[in-house]
Amino acid sequence: MIEQDQNAAIVIGAGLGGLSAAMRLGAKGYAVTVLDRLEQPGGRGSSITQDGHRFDLGPTIITVPQVYEQLWAACGRDFHKDVDLRPMDPFYEVRWQDGSTFTARQDTDAMLAEVARLSPRDVKGYKKFLRDSERCYKVGFEGMVAKPMHKLWETIKVLPTFALLRADRSILGLAKARVKDARLRMALSFHPLFIGGDPMHVTSMYALVAYLEKEFGVHYAMGGVQAIADAMVKVIRSQGGQVRLGVDVDEILVDRNAAKGVRLANDEVLNAPLVVSNADAGHTYRHLLRNKSRKRWTDRKLTSRRWSMGLFVWYFGTKGTALKWPDVGHHTITNAPRYEGLLHDIFIKGKLADDMSLYIHRPSRTDPSVAPAGDDTFYVLSPVPHLGFDDPVDWGRQAAAYKAKVQAEVEKYLPGFADHISTEMILTPEDFRDRYLSPNGSGFSIEPRILQSAWFRPHNISEEADGLYLVGAGTHPGAGVPGVISSAEVLGKLVPDAPVRPEMKVAAE
């Protein structure tokens, strides 16, 4: 039997969390092998190129650039030499059915002017909301995001501060306490939807997003988030690590309650005493550890969690439209007539509603590489129920009809767009389940409610096997690109430096 290399580490999944973990481990001296079943790195942040159009499949908005800068610096590299990050101004535009709009920018005076234009009586309340958001940032982001939370005491000791900040109140509840205008209440509370949370139920601590945007800006990576993933792969390989794509991990191997490697779907076995899973926490425990008895994350416990919503995403390219629809920028958020009712349908009832709120992404306004010259690339995202309800949406039967409803809604903002479509593709929650192995086809793993966060979330250091760690959206600190990158920073604080190789000891002597 060949003795296991104590410096070996395996990372399951080449999503942004897994790639960040591999970079951190490589910087610590580990010989890292990253395994992913897709043909492109990036996981949900990967892309597909079709008929000259690059469709970024997942995240498009980059915030908190320092998390990338710190990750690269830990590897002795300069992030900005590897990735071309462009600040967005404006950040995005929110639109309502009555024709009113709200344009989000970094400048405080510009934001105050927007609030005053919509609802002059709410300027004072908006200023209070900004103060709330800064306090939430200092406690929730600076104090917790990149800190290990696998010990219950770490969560208990912040509870008094949470109580003072009224973290028991939802983000929508906080918005209602600060402003009266229904449109502003939506504009100040919708951000948790970008990480899979119901604004009516996730904690008001997510007000911190407003501070993040104001303090650090909103950015776009030229080449899309795929460019960040590709740059990560280059760093990993420069460290001597391997990234193997098109490889399906079937099981995490455990011996005497310690991880010892993985078995691939083709029965190949890779040995390592350190295994990091960037697969969804639900998939990690229910499938990859299916042959091991589990103490905490049993099938029953995972089934009882509340999962984030699903996503219906329509990707399409349009021919000869680069100069059309000049009022539609890079990021546009449209609103259904109902806000709370639609959220209730999506998150509580599991009902596919006729009305919808949409995120329209038009990267060709910033990045000419996404489309042929003169053309446009779009994706339109609609939050929908996940597949875990008692009567889930049958997307095989309903996708075409729902797409027609989405088309009718998009037509309000891009008149005549359907006549210019040259290529298209659709992802539904069923595709998220099958492509990303996401339980219930949820878009962002476990929903970030207060009792599903910090210690209550699957831990970065697994309780189920020694030498097993978790990164990504399903573990602490949660979904969103800064969250999954930060999960690898937590990993770096938990894993010791690699053992010194025997030959290095001899050289040192």
Side-chain angles (χ1 to χ4, degrees), residues 117-131:
R117 184 175 57 79
L118 279 182
S119 179
R121 64 176 176 166
D122 283 323
V123 170
K124 184 177 179 180
Y126 175 69
K127 290 179 179 178
K128 289 182 179 179
F129 184 85
L130 287 181
R131 291 195 291 271

Side-chain angles (χ1 to χ4, degrees), residues 77 82 227-240 243:
R77 304 281 290 253
D82 291 346
I228 298 178
D230 291 341
M232 288 175 158
V233 170
K234 290 179 182 178
V235 173
I236 293 164
R237 288 176 172 158
S238 74
Q239 294 170 325
V243 179

Side-chain angles (χ1 to χ4, degrees), residues 21 66 78 81 142 146 194 232-233 258 363 379 394 411 423 445:
Q66 65 264 36
D78 182 349
K81 287 185 178 179
E142 287 186 347
F194 284 146
M232 288 175 158
V233 170
Y379 92 42
D394 182 349
E411 180 71 24
T423 190
S445 191

Side-chain angles (χ1 to χ4, degrees), residues 153-183:
W153 171 244
E154 296 297 335
T155 296
I156 291 174
K157 68 184 185 182
V158 300
L159 292 182
T161 306
F162 270 41
L164 287 173
L165 293 174
R166 288 296 314 274
D168 61 307
R169 181 167 52 186
S170 73
I171 180 63
L172 179 56
L174 173 61
K176 285 182 174 182
R178 294 295 181 248
V179 297
K180 303 300 181 185
D181 189 277
R183 296 165 299 178

Side-chain angles (χ1 to χ4, degrees), residues 432-460:
F432 278 77
R433 177 195 63 199
D434 299 339
R435 177 179 173 85
Y436 304 120
L437 305 178
S438 179
N440 301 319
S442 63
F444 305 89
S445 191
I446 295 172
E447 189 183 357
R449 295 197 178 197
I450 194 165
L451 292 180
Q452 295 189 159
S453 302
W455 181 85
F456 301 101
R457 206 166 181 82
H459 297 163
N460 305 96

Side-chain angles (χ1 to χ4, degrees), residues 5 68 296 434 476 501:
D5 182 355
Y68 310 92
R296 185 184 186 197
D434 299 339
H476 173 71
R501 295 177 184 272

Side-chain angles (χ1 to χ4, degrees), residues 131-147 149 154-167 203-208 211-212 450 454 476-477:
R131 291 195 291 271
D132 295 329
S133 69
E134 183 174 2
R135 287 193 292 266
C136 289
Y137 167 80
K138 291 185 182 302
V139 174
F141 195 92
E142 287 186 347
M144 295 179 68
V145 163
K147 184 174 184 177
M149 299 297 292
E154 296 297 335
T155 296
I156 291 174
K157 68 184 185 182
V158 300
L159 292 182
T161 306
F162 270 41
L164 287 173
L165 293 174
R166 288 296 314 274
T203 172
S204 58
M205 294 298 293
Y206 281 101
L208 64 84
Y211 183 81
L212 288 179
I450 194 165
H476 173 71

Side-chain angles (χ1 to χ4, degrees), residues 185-460:
R185 288 173 170 179
M186 175 272 159
L188 299 183
S189 68
F190 77 90
H191 298 91
L193 288 166
F194 284 146
I195 57 171
D198 175 1
M200 293 198 299
H201 291 98
V202 302
T203 172
S204 58
M205 294 298 293
Y206 281 101
L208 64 84
V209 175
Y211 183 81
L212 288 179
E213 291 184 346
K214 176 179 176 297
E215 190 70 11
F216 308 116
V218 169
H219 301 79
Y220 172 82
M222 298 298 283
V225 172
Q226 180 72 72
I228 298 178
D230 291 341
M232 288 175 158
V233 170
K234 290 179 182 178
V235 173
I236 293 164
R237 288 176 172 158
S238 74
Q239 294 170 325
Q242 300 181 58
V243 179
R244 294 177 57 183
L245 302 175
V247 176
D248 199 354
V249 176
D250 184 60
E251 185 178 3
I252 296 171
L253 301 177
V254 178
D255 182 32
R256 298 176 186 174
N257 206 48
K260 66 174 185 179
V262 300
R263 177 182 290 111
L264 307 184
N266 64 3
D267 286 331
E268 180 184 356
V269 171
L270 300 178
N271 294 310
L274 175 58
V275 176
V276 179
S277 181
N278 181 216
D280 191 283
H283 180 76
T284 298
Y285 286 126
R286 295 194 71 173
H287 181 78
L288 299 180
L289 283 180
R290 64 188 180 278
N291 292 322
K292 183 190 180 300
S293 61
R294 284 167 270 141
K295 297 178 292 185
R296 185 184 186 197
W297 294 106
T298 62
D299 288 355
R300 181 177 179 181
K301 181 73 175 283
L302 290 164
T303 301
S304 70
R305 299 301 86 189
R306 298 197 68 91
W307 293 82
S308 62
M309 80 282 194
L311 302 172
F312 178 93
V313 196
W314 182 14
Y315 307 85
F316 56 87
T318 54
K319 192 162 188 63
T321 60
L323 300 180
K324 290 181 70 67
W325 317 300
D327 61 325
V328 177
H330 192 127
H331 303 293
T332 304
I333 296 148
T334 75
N335 277 276
R338 303 178 304 146
Y339 181 44
E340 295 182 47
L342 181 58
L343 292 173
H344 190 77
D345 283 347
I346 294 168
F347 286 94
I348 307 301
K349 295 174 67 176
K351 173 189 174 184
L352 187 62
D354 289 327
D355 58 340
M356 63 194 69
S357 293
L358 302 175
Y359 164 52
I360 302 174
H361 182 226
R362 190 184 189 182
S364 37
R365 286 297 297 267
T366 304
D367 185 353
S369 73
V370 301
D375 297 349
D376 267 319
T377 292
F378 290 90
Y379 92 42
V380 176
L381 180 152
S382 178
V384 295
H386 63 61
L387 303 173
F389 290 94
D390 291 338
D391 184 22
V393 177
D394 182 349
W395 287 102
R397 290 192 308 107
Q398 298 198 47
Y402 192 73
K403 175 189 164 188
K405 294 176 183 178
V406 172
Q407 179 174 326
E409 188 66 23
V410 175
E411 180 71 24
K412 299 175 183 177
Y413 307 96
L414 305 173
F417 82 99
D419 295 335
H420 297 273
I421 292 177
S422 57
T423 190
E424 61 183 315
M425 58 176 277
I426 285 174
L427 291 183
T428 74
E430 293 179 355
D431 296 303
F432 278 77
R433 177 195 63 199
D434 299 339
R435 177 179 173 85
Y436 304 120
L437 305 178
S438 179
N440 301 319
S442 63
F444 305 89
S445 191
I446 295 172
E447 189 183 357
R449 295 197 178 197
I450 194 165
L451 292 180
Q452 295 189 159
S453 302
W455 181 85
F456 301 101
R457 206 166 181 82
H459 297 163
N460 305 96

